[in-house]
Amino acid sequence: MKTTNLLTLPDNRRLAYAEYGNPNGHPVLYFHGGGASRLEPLLLGDEVFIRLGLRLIAPDRPGIGQSNFQPNRGFSDWTKDVIFLADTLGLDKFSVLGVSSGGGYTAACAAKIPHRLYSAVIVSGAWEFTAADLLKYKRWDLFLIKYFPWLYQVSMRSTQRSLNAPPDKLLKTLNKRLPAADYAVIKSPGQIKQSCETLNEGLRSGTRGTAWDLQLYFRKWDFGLDEIRMPLTLFYGEEDRNVPLDLVKQIAATLPTTKLVMYPNEGHISVVVNQIESIAKALLSE
């Protein structure tokens, strides 16, 4: 396990990535959630990936963690970074796993570079939100990201300061906000500390990268979902409060190669932790 590797991209940007699991295992590029970083897989633990026979490679997206910001990027631009990283590591083919806000990047890879992929899996993934969706699902918090990004960056700085609060205080706040399954994961030994480290690392160089990363979900995507021809597996918890599940079901119904798996007693965070065996099985299906 090495959590900080630095790579210089063709345009001289720096890309940071971590590696977990079995170095000789099935290669998986892991795309972290919004506000997080390449440290996110530590919430599961390196020994889990070793046991499952996975070699997990988790890059920081541009402007997040230790990766340099990339102006005016879209989801499709990420596929170029992914290809360069894979080529550098000598990976002809690999799987992709996107969690939460990493979902759009997995969808982009499935659409644009299917010839390089063994499999594509999204867990608790976000999708394109229109203004009508925001109104329909009453997501006032997301209006802030779409229409007032500078205010959202202010709120992120406030959130970052709160990460330094005592763990018991943070857990008390989260207990009011999270579904039971998610809270059970976060309150497990060491998890709140690791979560704070993951989020702090994501905001290491400021809030601009994370704000841009999330804003992409409220703009017209730069690829069409109808470009996805390869199998795509989606995992969601029915207690997810972050992603409107009606929207997920609508999208899944329009994609003939997509399989949607729902768990009745899982939330947004808990799925990837509690259902990692099923997720690994989907990743290993070539």
Side-chain angles (χ1 to χ4, degrees):
M1 182 178 71
K2 188 176 179 185
T3 57
T4 303
N5 304 275
L6 301 176
L7 175 66
T8 301
L9 296 165
D11 62 358
N12 289 320
R13 282 183 296 116
R14 182 180 63 217
L15 179 76
Y17 66 96
E19 288 211 50
Y20 306 96
N22 182 348
N24 299 311
H26 181 87
V28 178
L29 265 67
Y30 178 104
F31 306 148
H32 60 74
S37 66
R38 68 189 185 284
L39 303 183
E40 187 175 88
L42 289 171
L43 295 171
L44 283 93
D46 192 51
E47 66 283 351
V48 171
F49 305 118
I50 293 173
R51 176 173 57 80
L52 294 171
L54 301 178
R55 177 189 180 188
L56 216 71
I57 301 145
D60 284 334
R61 290 193 289 276
I64 295 171
Q66 295 189 46
S67 289
N68 293 143
F69 187 76
Q70 181 184 20
N72 304 315
R73 71 177 176 90
F75 286 107
S76 294
D77 292 297
W78 179 241
T79 65
K80 300 168 189 174
D81 289 357
V82 165
I83 289 295
F84 189 81
L85 174 58
D87 287 348
T88 299
L89 295 174
L91 304 176
D92 180 47
K93 296 189 75 172
F94 48 92
S95 294
V96 286
L97 169 60
V99 177
S100 189
S101 293
Y105 298 92
T106 293
C109 288
K112 297 297 186 182
I113 55 169
H115 59 289
R116 297 295 299 265
L117 304 183
Y118 289 123
S119 57
V121 176
I122 293 174
V123 183
S124 304
W127 298 91
E128 182 182 328
F129 279 89
T130 64
D133 290 327
L134 295 179
L135 287 169
K136 178 181 178 181
Y137 298 112
K138 297 182 172 59
R139 297 304 300 268
W140 314 122
D141 54 330
L142 302 182
F143 263 97
L144 199 64
I145 302 173
K146 180 174 175 64
Y147 295 107
F148 304 100
W150 63 273
L151 274 177
Y152 181 70
Q153 288 182 256
V154 170
S155 74
M156 275 196 293
R157 285 191 284 270
S158 175
T159 298
Q160 187 177 22
R161 287 192 293 271
S162 73
L163 296 175
N164 298 317
D168 57 340
K169 184 178 180 180
L170 285 172
L171 285 171
K172 186 176 180 180
T173 300
L174 291 172
N175 192 25
K176 298 174 184 176
R177 299 179 181 175
L178 298 177
D182 286 346
Y183 182 69
V185 168
I186 291 297
K187 75 172 184 179
S188 299
Q191 288 290 64
I192 189 66
K193 181 176 182 291
Q194 186 58 61
S195 295
C196 290
E197 289 178 2
T198 297
L199 294 168
N200 269 318
E201 179 62 17
L203 296 170
R204 168 193 280 261
S205 58
T207 58
R208 182 172 63 155
T210 294
W212 185 276
D213 196 58
L214 293 173
Q215 272 188 291
L216 289 181
Y217 285 90
F218 307 99
R219 299 173 179 171
K220 183 67 179 173
W221 286 14
D222 62 356
F223 69 97
L225 293 181
D226 59 356
E227 296 178 61
I228 299 175
R229 300 283 193 270
M230 69 174 290
L232 176 64
T233 308
L234 313 179
F235 292 90
Y236 287 84
E238 292 184 7
E239 300 301 317
D240 194 321
R241 295 180 187 172
N242 293 59
V243 181
L245 297 180
D246 286 349
L247 179 61
V248 171
K249 292 172 183 176
Q250 289 171 23
I251 290 169
T254 67
L255 300 176
T257 60
T258 295
K259 177 183 179 182
L260 175 60
V261 182
M262 304 283 293
Y263 294 96
N265 298 311
E266 300 286 7
H268 186 74
I269 301 168
S270 66
V271 177
V272 71
V273 175
N274 296 336
Q275 306 301 331
I276 189 60
E277 302 276 351
S278 297
I279 293 166
K281 186 177 180 180
L283 288 166
L284 291 166
S285 63
E286 301 179 14

